Amino acid sequence: MKKILFAISLSSICFAAPAPTQLPSFEGNQKIVMKNTIITQVNGTTLSMLDVKKKLDVAFHHSYPQLIDSTAARFQFYQNSWRHACLELIDHELMLADAEDREIKVTDGEVREELENRFGPNVMVTLDKIDISYDEAWKMIRNEMTVQRMMWYFIHAKALQSVTPQDIRQEYRRYLKENPPYQEWTYRVVSVRANEPNQIDELVAKIYGTLQESSQSPEALETQLKELAEAYKDSSVAISPEYTANHLKLSEAHRSALSELEERQYSKPITQFSRAENKTIARIFYLSKKKDFPAPSFEELSPKLKGELTQKAITAESDRYVMKLRK
């Protein structure tokens, strides 16, 4: 029987990220073997790699029950999760010691109910599949429930109390500053070019008059506009593709030309000399569509903002509580 050895030292487990390795191809009856290295001792409890493996096995069954027989998937799960599981195991032992000092307990009935919820009505059959004894599963579930209770008392409850209505209002103001209301403009640009400045004024006047008199968009008038330009030497008319943009992100020139327009209106011609082309260019903007995107109201956004602030507070309280236990 071929075996894949999964051996990790204490220093690599607790203080270094796993090095990326190519997932091996498992065939036939290959299995994963994990070297049972002693990791550390917490409050008199010795933690080993076997403890980490058992924690990972339960987590793998809970998250990926459909892959329970896939050796390759399990190996990949071990590779990606062992460091987090190791550190979590150490922190949980510290919380269990704190729970013992505070006399916070979980009843046998609560553990039994969670065992059935986690592993189904045929608990023993499921535990045999993941190679964990009933006593080990009982202890693991009891410890997890105790840790969850400690986290509620000393992390989540404090975090919820720390988020005030004033905090949510301030976060809403910050959101509006970073995400102001805007309009989405859809437009085209009619560009008129000519070598002689005295020619372009007359040509632009004719083109602008034609656009203003018609209720059509510039692309519908393209043939007519180009015929007007042909009467003037070295002159041309071009119609841009249709652009759609947030008005706050447009250049000042485009925003200024479009800001006063209503839908299906033309701007007055804007003429300037282009050094790059060595020609005088006149541009006429056509606004085909304008759509408003107002900022969400405080009532709409406050649940989301409260959730985000609470999550940040939970992270801060969790770091504070765990660091206190570690010290």
Side-chain angles (χ1 to χ4, degrees):
M1 178 187 297
K2 295 182 180 179
K3 299 179 180 179
I4 300 295
L5 184 63
F6 195 89
I8 306 171
S9 68
L10 171 61
S11 59
S12 67
I13 282 181
C14 295
F15 305 107
T21 57
Q22 186 175 359
L23 186 64
S25 176
F26 286 84
E27 299 176 356
N29 58 356
Q30 285 181 308
K31 290 187 177 181
I32 302 171
V33 176
M34 186 175 290
K35 185 177 179 181
N36 191 24
T37 306
I38 299 299
I39 298 173
T40 188
Q41 192 175 63
V42 182
N43 196 39
T45 301
T46 300
L47 300 178
S48 69
M49 271 305 301
L50 184 60
D51 296 311
V52 177
K53 178 183 179 299
K54 289 176 181 177
K55 182 178 180 66
L56 290 172
D57 286 339
V58 172
F60 183 77
H61 172 266
H62 179 71
S63 300
Y64 310 103
Q66 74 279 11
L67 299 175
I68 194 69
D69 296 322
S70 172
T71 305
R74 186 184 295 273
F75 183 83
Q76 187 176 50
F77 184 75
Y78 287 161
Q79 279 190 315
N80 295 335
S81 307
W82 57 261
R83 183 176 187 273
H84 173 76
C86 170
L87 295 174
E88 190 177 73
L89 199 63
I90 294 171
D91 291 339
H92 285 186
E93 283 296 330
L94 294 172
M95 292 184 193
L96 290 172
D98 192 27
E100 185 176 355
D101 291 341
R102 300 174 187 271
E103 298 184 351
I104 295 176
K105 300 179 181 179
V106 177
T107 66
D108 291 348
E110 292 173 316
V111 177
R112 191 177 299 108
E113 182 179 356
E114 181 59 24
L115 269 172
E116 292 182 2
N117 291 336
R118 185 78 63 89
F119 301 108
N122 299 320
V123 175
M124 296 305 299
V125 175
T126 305
L127 292 178
D128 286 341
K129 286 183 178 180
I130 57 178
D131 196 25
I132 294 179
S133 69
Y134 186 83
D135 290 340
E136 289 172 334
W138 181 281
K139 180 181 177 181
M140 193 178 299
I141 295 299
R142 184 196 64 199
N143 289 349
E144 284 185 9
M145 295 182 71
T146 303
V147 166
Q148 289 171 1
R149 199 154 293 182
M150 293 296 290
M151 291 177 69
W152 167 252
Y153 290 147
F154 300 103
I155 297 175
H156 291 263
K158 288 185 177 181
L160 287 171
Q161 293 174 0
S162 69
V163 178
T164 66
Q166 291 80 6
D167 295 331
I168 301 173
R169 181 69 66 174
Q170 179 62 30
E171 186 67 9
Y172 179 68
R173 285 193 286 267
R174 185 196 63 78
Y175 176 88
L176 291 183
K177 187 175 180 181
E178 295 181 0
N179 302 275
Y182 68 94
Q183 290 183 326
E184 190 176 79
W185 293 343
T186 301
Y187 66 99
R188 292 180 186 270
V189 183
V190 179
S191 300
V192 184
R193 290 172 169 82
N195 287 337
E196 300 296 332
N198 60 335
Q199 289 184 348
I200 196 169
D201 291 340
E202 184 178 342
L203 175 58
V204 169
K206 289 183 179 181
I207 289 177
Y208 181 63
T210 301
L211 294 173
Q212 286 288 78
E213 290 172 4
S214 174
S215 59
Q216 295 177 291
S217 61
E219 66 271 20
L221 301 170
E222 185 173 10
T223 301
Q224 186 177 349
L225 298 178
K226 288 186 175 181
E227 288 176 353
L228 289 173
E230 288 175 358
Y232 295 84
K233 184 180 179 181
D234 297 326
S235 298
S236 63
V237 175
I239 300 173
S240 74
E242 194 169 65
Y243 302 119
T244 299
N246 179 336
H247 85 283
L248 298 175
K249 297 180 179 180
L250 286 173
S251 66
E252 182 61 33
H254 283 211
R255 186 165 59 247
S256 177
L258 292 163
S259 60
E260 301 299 326
L261 300 180
E262 297 297 331
E263 291 185 359
R264 295 182 295 279
Q265 281 188 347
Y266 290 95
S267 71
K268 292 181 179 180
I270 302 172
T271 304
Q272 61 183 143
F273 181 78
S274 172
R275 292 183 178 178
E277 298 184 32
N278 195 29
K279 289 184 178 181
T280 301
I281 302 176
R283 292 184 175 88
I284 302 171
F285 291 82
Y286 174 75
L287 182 64
S288 58
K289 190 184 298 182
K290 182 187 291 186
K291 185 177 180 181
D292 291 319
F293 287 86
S297 67
F298 177 75
E299 288 72 21
E300 291 174 323
L301 204 58
S302 59
K304 179 176 180 290
L305 296 178
K306 182 179 180 181
E308 291 174 353
L309 289 173
T310 301
Q311 190 57 50
K312 290 179 182 178
I314 288 173
T315 301
E317 287 292 341
S318 177
D319 292 343
R320 192 177 300 115
Y321 177 56
V322 170
M323 288 305 299
K324 179 180 178 182
L325 292 179
R326 289 177 180 178
K327 288 181 181 180

